[in-house]
Amino acid sequence: MSGKRHTASVRTLALTLPPGFRIEHHQHDWPQLIFAVSGVITVTTDRGSWVVPPMRAVWMAAAVSHRLDMTGTVAMRTIYFSPKAASGVDRPCCVMSVSPLLRELITHIVDLGALYEDNAAHLRLQGLLLDLLVAMPESPLTVPMPHDPRARRVADRVLAGPGARLPLARLAKGVGASPRTLERAFHTETLMTFGRWRHQVRLLEALRLLGDGMPVTSVAHRVGYASPSAFVAAFRRALGRSPARYFDPPDRQAKARVFPATPSIR
């Protein structure tokens, strides 16, 4: 007699991948959460790219073609949600912070291998996971790409050499548009000025280099800053932490709290 067939609402995958490993463009019928335990993952789509440092995750909607590039040795945990299970997650592709609770929940679910619709305990785990995903704040770790072909050629030139200090007038040569037209295209299609967009490219390139173990001083010069101090200040303004501390693991212990002495009972 055949056993009852269980229907999975969540599937999981755990991989450890070497530096420089690439997973070429592909897409899934199920939306997924890609979590970087260690190393840095760069996720690239036609619409832009996202950098996923350790203890961050990227939400990838279903049917979006994407490529994954690994910086450093990457320990990756992926959770796939059935369309029915993910119906309450109404957010675009984005990088999000991972709280200690969410980290432990992802680890536990990946260890289980899958969550099933007919298992009450699994449904409770799934509900908590989805609640946390909806509540997690987005991290500013994305570079949107312009669609205008002229602006796209300029964007590709910047991506090929993020540290170059060429002005937009130089980058615009040969693309068939004036600097003013290109500025307008970047602002309209990426919601950033060209200068802000290039700053974001440099920031995410810095994250990849830092994740690969490059010293802060070398990273500062590689991504086009005149001095390490200028780079550190810009990095801290954007991400709220210095480059040297950005990859520190989250504190697993709650901060000690001082309670008033309990009065004795007589």
Side-chain angles (χ1 to χ4, degrees), residues 81-105:
F81 299 84
S82 71
K84 177 182 176 181
S87 60
V89 184
D90 183 20
R91 66 190 311 166
C93 300
C94 64
V95 175
M96 63 182 72
S97 300
V98 174
S99 67
L101 175 58
L102 179 55
R103 178 193 66 220
E104 297 301 328
L105 186 59

Side-chain angles (χ1 to χ4, degrees), residues 23-148:
I23 300 175
E24 293 291 351
H25 276 279
H26 63 287
Q27 62 186 54
H28 305 281
D29 294 332
W30 287 19
Q32 63 182 129
L33 183 74
I34 305 169
F35 173 48
V37 179
S38 63
V40 178
I41 307 169
T42 302
V43 183
T44 304
T45 73
D46 288 341
R47 291 178 288 176
S49 61
W50 295 262
V51 172
V52 191
M55 297 304 143
R56 273 75 174 176
V58 64
W59 175 260
M60 183 58 55
V64 175
S65 179
H66 57 284
R67 186 185 76 213
L68 305 179
D69 290 281
M70 314 302 158
T71 301
T73 299
V74 170
M76 181 173 70
R77 303 292 181 265
T78 304
I79 295 181
Y80 303 89
F81 299 84
S82 71
K84 177 182 176 181
S87 60
V89 184
D90 183 20
R91 66 190 311 166
C93 300
C94 64
V95 175
M96 63 182 72
S97 300
V98 174
S99 67
L101 175 58
L102 179 55
R103 178 193 66 220
E104 297 301 328
L105 186 59
I106 291 171
T107 299
H108 179 60
I109 291 172
V110 171
D111 286 344
L112 290 175
L115 299 180
Y116 294 97
E117 292 180 353
D118 59 352
N119 186 309
H122 286 188
L123 290 178
R124 290 192 292 272
L125 289 172
Q126 177 182 303
L128 176 58
L129 175 61
L130 292 171
D131 285 345
L132 292 175
L133 291 181
V134 170
M136 284 297 107
E138 293 186 23
S139 296
L141 302 178
T142 180
V143 174
M145 292 294 287
H147 301 295
D148 183 293

